[in-house]
Amino acid sequence: MPAGSPEDWKTWRKQERARLLTARLAISDGDHARWSSAITASLIQGFAQLCTMTVGLYWPFQREFDPRHAMLHFRKSGARAALPVVTGKGVPLTFRQWWPGVAMTRGVFDLPMPDGTEVVQPQALLMPPVGFDSAGFRLGYGGGYFDRTLAAMAPQPLKIGLAFELSRMSTIHPQPFDIPMDFVITEAGIHAVTDGKLCPLANAAECTAHLAGIICERGWSTHA
């Protein structure tokens, strides 16, 4: 347990991040495929509202869950997809529209990003936690890009974490700059953050109803 100074927390998070990444990199191909299939199904079945929204996703890195398969489904039904672009250190992410076959260039971590497409503001973000905890807080890679981006967005987008159960933690010991996710989807199902706790949802219909309430509360309109 960290003693409490900023440097102690930074060291603890670095150690936890390394532990969780090691576990994720060790997942067998068979488990990765099965767990990914379950997450894709939950995302498609529980989040039909994404079909009429602008959705920020990520390019998979270090054996993260790959959200592109579900995103192709949402795009076919009318969604717009966008990938993050790092424009500078300490600066919120920019999102550029993405579709299969668009011209790409390389960015941070050598990840591909759209080259010159329209800049858009996502209404929903598919996010890749290195770790997530019982209150829905996300442990990232340590660069702070998503934290700064979320802090700058009003209203807040729908924040949907996509991770494997082995990334679950009791707590990340959230700091003032940490912002909880709205949902976390794992191979075990869909979980929603309710009253500061990450709670499993019984089925896709319950997720759809919960999501509708968040959309109404935040005043997002669709592009359709």
Side-chain angles (χ1 to χ4, degrees), residues 10-116:
K10 186 176 180 180
T11 298
W12 181 82
R13 287 190 170 194
K14 183 177 181 180
Q15 292 170 344
E16 286 297 287
R17 189 177 294 117
R19 177 183 68 82
L20 293 167
L21 284 172
T22 297
R24 194 172 72 199
L25 289 169
I27 297 172
S28 70
D29 290 344
D31 283 341
H32 194 283
R34 283 189 294 274
W35 298 347
S36 295
S37 179
I39 294 172
T40 297
S42 290
L43 183 56
I44 289 173
Q45 293 165 12
F47 293 83
Q49 291 100 319
L50 296 185
C51 292
T52 56
M53 302 178 76
T54 299
V55 182
L57 71 158
Y58 58 90
W59 202 270
F61 177 63
Q62 294 191 335
R63 291 184 69 75
E64 292 169 336
F65 166 75
D66 187 345
R68 292 173 296 176
H69 304 292
M71 196 64 240
L72 290 175
H73 165 82
F74 294 129
R75 284 192 72 254
K76 288 178 182 178
S77 299
R80 290 194 301 178
L83 283 171
V85 175
V86 176
T87 59
K89 189 174 181 180
V91 179
L93 297 165
T94 294
F95 287 84
R96 288 190 176 275
Q97 195 167 353
W98 169 82
W99 57 89
V102 70
M104 305 282 272
T105 187
R106 293 282 173 175
V108 173
F109 300 129
D110 201 35
L111 291 172
M113 56 187 185
D115 188 7

Side-chain angles (χ1 to χ4, degrees), residues 76-190:
K76 288 178 182 178
S77 299
R80 290 194 301 178
L83 283 171
V85 175
V86 176
T87 59
K89 189 174 181 180
V91 179
L93 297 165
T94 294
F95 287 84
R96 288 190 176 275
Q97 195 167 353
W98 169 82
W99 57 89
V102 70
M104 305 282 272
T105 187
R106 293 282 173 175
V108 173
F109 300 129
D110 201 35
L111 291 172
M113 56 187 185
D115 188 7
T117 59
E118 179 186 0
V119 173
V120 296
Q121 177 149 330
Q123 297 159 304
L125 288 178
L126 305 181
M127 305 171 66
V130 174
F132 66 93
D133 71 9
S134 59
F137 286 100
R138 169 185 175 272
L139 180 67
Y141 287 97
Y145 291 110
F146 271 109
D147 294 323
R148 284 187 291 270
T149 302
L150 292 172
M153 297 178 78
Q156 282 287 285
L158 298 171
K159 299 176 289 290
I160 305 169
L162 305 171
F164 303 120
E165 278 291 327
L166 56 75
S167 296
R168 187 186 289 268
M169 310 167 65
S170 59
T171 180
I172 70 163
H173 297 289
Q175 301 300 292
F177 54 80
D178 288 308
I179 298 174
M181 295 174 285
D182 297 306
F183 296 91
V184 176
I185 307 176
T186 73
E187 69 273 18
I190 302 172

